[in-house]
Amino acid sequence: MAVTKLVIVESPTKARTIRGFLPDDYVVMASMGHIRDLPSSAAEIPKAARGEAWSRLGVNVDDGFVPLYVLSSKRKDTLKGLKDALVKADELIIATDEDREGESIGWHLVEVLRPKVPVKRMVFHEITRDAIRQAMRETRSIDEHLVRAQETRRILDRLVGYTLSPLLWKKIAPKLSAGRVQSVAVRLLVERERERHAFVKGTYWDLTAELAKRPDAPDHRFKATLVQVGDRRVATGKDFDADTGTVVGDRDVLLLDGAQAEALRARLATAAWQVASVEAKASVRRPYPPFTTSTLQQEAGRKLRFGAGETMQIAQSLYENGFITYHRTDSFHLSDEAVEGTRRRVAEQYGTEYLSPEPRRFKTKSRTAQEAHEAIRPAGGAMRPVAELPLSGRDAALYDLIWKRTMATQMADARVEMVTVHVGAEDALFRATGRRVLFPGFFRAYVEGSDDPDAAIEDRDAPLPPLAEREALDLRDLGAVAHETKPPARFTEASLIKALEANGVGRPSTYATIIGTIQDRGYVRKQSGTLVPTFTAFAVTGLLESDFKQLVDVGFTANMEEDLDRIASGDVEWRGYLERFYHGESGLSNQVDLATATVDPRRASTVDLGVVKVRIGRFGPFVEIGEGETRATVALPEDLAPADLTPAVLGELADRGQGGPAALGHDPTTGEPVYLKDGPYGPYVQRGDDDGGKDGKPKPARVSLPKDRRPEEVDLALALALLSLPRVLGKHPESGDEVKAGIGRFGPYVVVGKTFASLKKGEDVLAVDLDRALELLEEKSSRGARGRARTVANALKNLGPHPDDGEPVAILDGRYGPYVKHGKTNASLPKDADWASFTLADALRLLATKSGRGGPIKRTRMAAGA
């Protein structure tokens, strides 16, 4: 049958699943995501735009904020295949995801393919036969307002990232980046870490009693905690001021110290104990709404220990293979089909007594909720449990979590009885609590997780024995217990996602990307499941707070999300919005110009932690201690959390030799001290003090310790030998050039001229002789010759030797088109270049540009975006 309809989706998996639900005259193909975007590097900027001041941004901020879109080099073959298929089609159907991103991908496809046949847009929230067939009957046009909203978001992120990042390079350190949403997320983490650093511990004591109902039996024992002595309540952690570590001034509570607690324990050990009061209260627990993108990421993190990115990858696979509904959603809505199917499955699986009396409906509360998708649930109406599906491993675990949460939505309330018992002993009052599940209801299927590892699981009984007022009890044990107040907990991925959603920052579909980005860029690292901001994050956040306060304000960022919603609904004009944001009186452009002129780099790269000030240097964070001739630096370990840096910790680091250690001795030639130090990249020896390089003084000489040398083995003689490197081994028998041995960035090596060869594992740079060096260099030359021969043999065109080193320069055919090769340097030919007419001079200009030595493009990589 002739091809008549071309359907385009994003991924091959999605294409494969949908293809099975459509007639034979439909061809389903994948675009592999976006086929074009803003340029990611200077090399991608078209020639016509390279001379424009705005081209670095990829957005024409001088003329209507027109984006400069470039086709992805990785999508050339894909695009060709789509064009070839479109020639044979009489209809184009865009079937990308049902959100702004999917709408944008579809719009770009239409813009690039320029179809001469009718174009339809089909949307669906699950990939089942019925859903796909219904979507084919209810097609629409591409929604230009949704496209503009997504395009505005992309431009905003680009403007923020590409204007702020260069400022950070100048004022703090190279390769840093800022982003419209990532910077707000980092600020939340930094603010929590600041609270932890400022936190002052408070100490309090109480008593814990083990009591027994008569007659004594294992199930008759329970524990109670001291809550009152006389008419005064005993202090607990909530009574302490986090800034002072003392009880809040106006609270009339009894603060026990160790001696007082022990004295009270001794007095009560012989007292008579009896029940003072019993209070039982029944409560009802209702099931949670079905999963949205953010709650799925949170619960998968708590229950399955999945990262947010991992959860989204698995959910994407489950959706594309037809197992769950669309996984990027803010909605709690369940369709009639889902409700009816869930209720049938609950009755079959658990019994009718576990069904809620009426179907449950959940109303979406998010003020920034996007399109009216369904919640995340099993696809279709059968609601099959995981045991009936061909799933295993992580896929099965996440599907099962979604299935259980969906089942719970249509199950009966759980009924729980909470019992509080007060026990008296002389003038002291103790309290014990118990819980008994009267009817488990939805607990049978699902129990919400918790960030608190000490929290009790809700479906477990923790009952007290039956007790009555004035009932006598036996004391089995009584102990005085010391407590320390705890600083606010660091964010986990789950709790950060919850905070972002609560503040309206970003979109649920972007949370995984945000968390991945801030870790990849060195602002955050994971420590025991928590997210710890780095000192660099502190410096960047401090600069943004002082000079770009709005951009890291959660309220301002949330309002931007609402503005994007209004653009999506057609209520706000997108160009005017961007004009105000970028060119306004207090717009981003003016703020950056002002900060560039006024921000002091030393201030910006300094993190003030009160009693300690940390500097962000080229090789990482460090602290300067002492003054004048006694001044030294202490490099801070990468795994040190800012909140944990105290004067005591700093002193320990200095004592261990990370800053100003005692000298191994003095160089007999120069008289300078020689030190063994530990830096961010491992131990090294240094001749001279750290103030070298200033006021005309030479920089201190430094050499890394070889990997086979342990710091405790280093003495003055070894240090001086290492500092004397590179050492001359003799002359090369053919060229007459000196052969040397030394230690470089990649470890010990030997070298002659411009030919380097690494020493083998176990070879000593201080002991290697000329003969062995010549062997290594010959091996390297042979490998190089073979590589050069392969380059020449495989070349589309040999251009001749490079004037600097005589190595061949050739044009080869690569995966992404022709490129110039010289040694290990590759440079792609411009898209419109004819390789057959390319000359050696042309190639040298490309290679110089690639290596940063000249040419019209001075920066091959551009600042990172959002």
Side-chain angles (χ1 to χ4, degrees), residues 276-580:
S277 65
V278 179
E279 181 182 1
K281 184 178 181 180
S283 64
V284 172
R285 300 287 179 86
R286 293 183 172 80
Y288 308 95
F291 278 134
T292 61
T293 303
S294 64
T295 55
L296 176 63
Q297 291 175 77
Q298 291 172 52
E299 279 296 272
R302 293 165 182 155
K303 287 180 171 290
L304 305 177
R305 297 294 185 263
F306 289 172
E310 183 180 14
T311 299
M312 293 301 285
Q313 289 175 356
I314 300 169
Q316 179 83 28
S317 174
L318 291 173
Y319 165 67
E320 291 181 346
N321 282 286
F323 294 114
I324 65 172
T325 54
Y326 191 52
H327 57 295
R328 294 187 177 94
T329 175
D330 298 352
S331 175
F332 291 147
H333 172 67
L334 290 174
S335 67
D336 292 341
E337 177 192 41
V339 172
E340 292 166 5
T342 301
R343 294 181 69 81
R344 281 195 304 271
R345 182 62 68 173
V346 168
E348 294 170 6
Q349 196 92 3
Y350 302 103
T352 55
E353 69 271 23
Y354 281 92
L355 266 176
S356 61
E358 300 292 334
R360 293 187 192 271
R361 304 286 181 180
F362 298 88
K363 187 176 180 180
T364 302
K365 297 179 180 179
S366 173
R367 63 191 176 97
T368 60
Q370 211 171 280
E371 292 76 30
H373 302 146
E374 271 200 80
I376 304 172
R377 62 168 179 84
M383 298 293 158
R384 292 182 294 170
V386 69
E388 298 180 11
L389 297 175
L391 294 173
S392 61
R394 301 182 310 162
D395 292 357
L398 191 65
Y399 177 87
D400 191 47
L401 189 68
I402 294 168
W403 183 87
K404 288 176 177 177
R405 179 86 165 213
T406 307
M407 292 301 105
T409 65
Q410 301 304 316
M411 294 178 73
D413 296 340
R415 298 196 304 277
V416 180
E417 181 183 65
M418 304 296 296
V419 179
T420 302
V421 174
H422 284 96
V423 177
E426 294 187 1
D427 60 343
L429 197 64
F430 288 71
R431 181 169 59 213
T433 59
R435 180 182 66 247
R436 186 162 63 94
V437 178
L438 303 176
F439 176 68
F442 73 92
F443 285 169
R444 283 289 307 276
Y446 188 85
V447 180
E448 178 88 350
S450 173
D451 274 336
D452 181 1
D454 298 322
I457 303 300
E458 291 177 300
D459 62 344
R460 290 183 183 171
D461 282 343
L464 293 172
L467 298 168
E469 289 187 16
R470 299 189 179 86
E471 180 176 351
L473 301 171
D474 293 329
L475 177 66
R476 296 301 177 208
D477 189 33
L478 181 63
V481 182
H483 303 274
E484 280 188 343
T485 56
K486 296 181 179 180
R490 290 189 175 102
F491 284 103
T492 61
E493 286 196 13
S495 60
L496 179 59
I497 289 170
K498 187 174 182 179
L500 291 171
E501 184 177 42
N503 285 289
V505 175
R507 286 289 183 197
S509 59
T510 66
Y511 295 154
T513 302
I514 293 167
I515 291 172
T517 297
I518 62 180
Q519 291 181 78
D520 292 343
R521 294 178 178 171
Y523 291 133
V524 178
R525 60 180 177 80
K526 268 194 172 182
Q527 176 180 297
S528 302
T530 64
L531 299 174
V532 183
T534 62
F535 290 102
T536 301
F538 268 65
V540 170
T541 298
L543 172 59
L544 296 180
E545 285 175 331
S546 65
D547 293 85
F548 301 91
K549 189 174 182 179
Q550 275 192 324
L551 287 181
V552 287
D553 179 74
V554 292
F556 179 78
T557 306
N559 288 337
M560 292 181 76
E561 297 295 343
E562 294 180 352
D563 291 335
L564 291 169
D565 288 342
R566 287 193 284 270
I567 292 172
S569 63
D571 296 330
V572 170
E573 200 278 321
W574 68 284
R575 293 180 192 273
Y577 178 76
L578 289 171
E579 180 72 28
R580 292 188 297 275

Side-chain angles (χ1 to χ4, degrees), residues 9 52 66 192 201 217 246 263 322 329 382 385 395 449 470 485 597 729 788 817 844:
V9 298
E52 302 292 342
V66 176
R192 180 63 56 85
K201 289 181 180 179
T246 60
T329 175
D395 292 357
R470 299 189 179 86
T485 56
L729 305 180
R788 289 190 294 274
L844 294 178

Side-chain angles (χ1 to χ4, degrees), residues 680-703:
Y681 304 105
Y684 63 94
V685 292
Q686 173 179 309
R687 179 172 52 229
D689 291 313
D690 286 313
D691 58 356
K694 299 177 181 178
D695 300 326
K697 296 181 181 179
K699 291 183 178 180
R702 294 174 177 172
V703 178

Side-chain angles (χ1 to χ4, degrees), residues 716-765:
L716 179 61
L718 177 57
L720 290 172
L722 291 171
L723 288 165
S724 70
L725 295 174
R727 65 188 183 93
V728 177
L729 305 180
K731 294 185 180 294
H732 195 282
E734 295 178 7
S735 67
D737 293 334
E738 287 184 338
V739 180
K740 299 178 182 179
I743 297 177
R745 180 181 177 187
F746 302 108
Y749 65 86
V750 291
V751 60
V752 61
K754 294 185 178 181
T755 301
F756 288 79
S758 296
L759 268 62
K760 305 296 185 184
K761 186 176 181 180
E763 292 186 311
D764 187 353
V765 68

Side-chain angles (χ1 to χ4, degrees), residues 563-795:
D563 291 335
L564 291 169
D565 288 342
R566 287 193 284 270
I567 292 172
S569 63
D571 296 330
V572 170
E573 200 278 321
W574 68 284
R575 293 180 192 273
Y577 178 76
L578 289 171
E579 180 72 28
R580 292 188 297 275
F581 172 80
Y582 190 74
H583 285 309
E585 184 176 345
S586 57
L588 180 62
S589 180
N590 290 331
Q591 289 186 59
V592 170
D593 288 345
L594 180 62
T596 300
T598 60
V599 170
D600 175 25
R602 185 175 181 88
R603 187 262 295 176
S605 61
T606 300
V607 177
D608 190 348
L609 295 175
V611 294
V612 177
K613 290 185 178 181
V614 178
R615 292 280 309 283
I616 308 301
R618 180 181 178 187
F619 300 108
F622 66 93
V623 175
E624 293 180 339
I625 56 176
E627 295 180 359
E629 294 184 359
T630 63
R631 185 181 64 83
T633 61
V634 178
L636 302 180
E638 292 182 0
D639 60 351
L640 177 63
D644 298 337
L645 178 59
T646 63
V649 170
L650 183 60
E652 291 176 9
L653 292 174
D655 291 342
R656 289 210 306 261
Q658 287 202 230
L664 296 170
H666 288 74
D667 187 315
T669 303
T670 67
E672 294 175 296
V674 177
Y675 301 102
L676 171 65
K677 294 192 172 189
D678 191 8
Y681 304 105
Y684 63 94
V685 292
Q686 173 179 309
R687 179 172 52 229
D689 291 313
D690 286 313
D691 58 356
K694 299 177 181 178
D695 300 326
K697 296 181 181 179
K699 291 183 178 180
R702 294 174 177 172
V703 178
S704 296
L705 243 60
K707 290 184 179 180
D708 59 348
R709 297 282 188 173
R710 291 179 298 177
E712 54 267 30
E713 299 174 352
V714 180
D715 56 16
L716 179 61
L718 177 57
L720 290 172
L722 291 171
L723 288 165
S724 70
L725 295 174
R727 65 188 183 93
V728 177
L729 305 180
K731 294 185 180 294
H732 195 282
E734 295 178 7
S735 67
D737 293 334
E738 287 184 338
V739 180
K740 299 178 182 179
I743 297 177
R745 180 181 177 187
F746 302 108
Y749 65 86
V750 291
V751 60
V752 61
K754 294 185 178 181
T755 301
F756 288 79
S758 296
L759 268 62
K760 305 296 185 184
K761 186 176 181 180
E763 292 186 311
D764 187 353
V765 68
L766 298 176
V768 66
D769 59 19
L770 178 62
D771 290 341
R772 177 55 180 157
L774 293 175
E775 289 178 11
L776 292 170
L777 291 166
E778 177 60 27
E779 289 177 12
K780 179 65 176 292
S781 296
S782 297
R783 289 196 302 270
R786 289 194 296 271
R788 289 190 294 274
R790 283 195 299 271
T791 296
V792 171
N794 297 329

Side-chain angles (χ1 to χ4, degrees), residues 78-91:
T78 300
L79 189 57
K80 183 179 184 303
L82 293 174
K83 287 181 176 179
D84 291 345
L86 185 58
V87 170
K88 305 173 186 177
D90 59 11
E91 187 173 273

Side-chain angles (χ1 to χ4, degrees), residues 127-141:
I127 304 178
T128 61
R129 184 177 301 276
D130 290 344
I132 297 303
R133 292 291 177 90
Q134 182 178 348
M136 293 301 301
R137 294 191 295 269
E138 299 175 355
T139 57
R140 60 169 173 80
S141 300

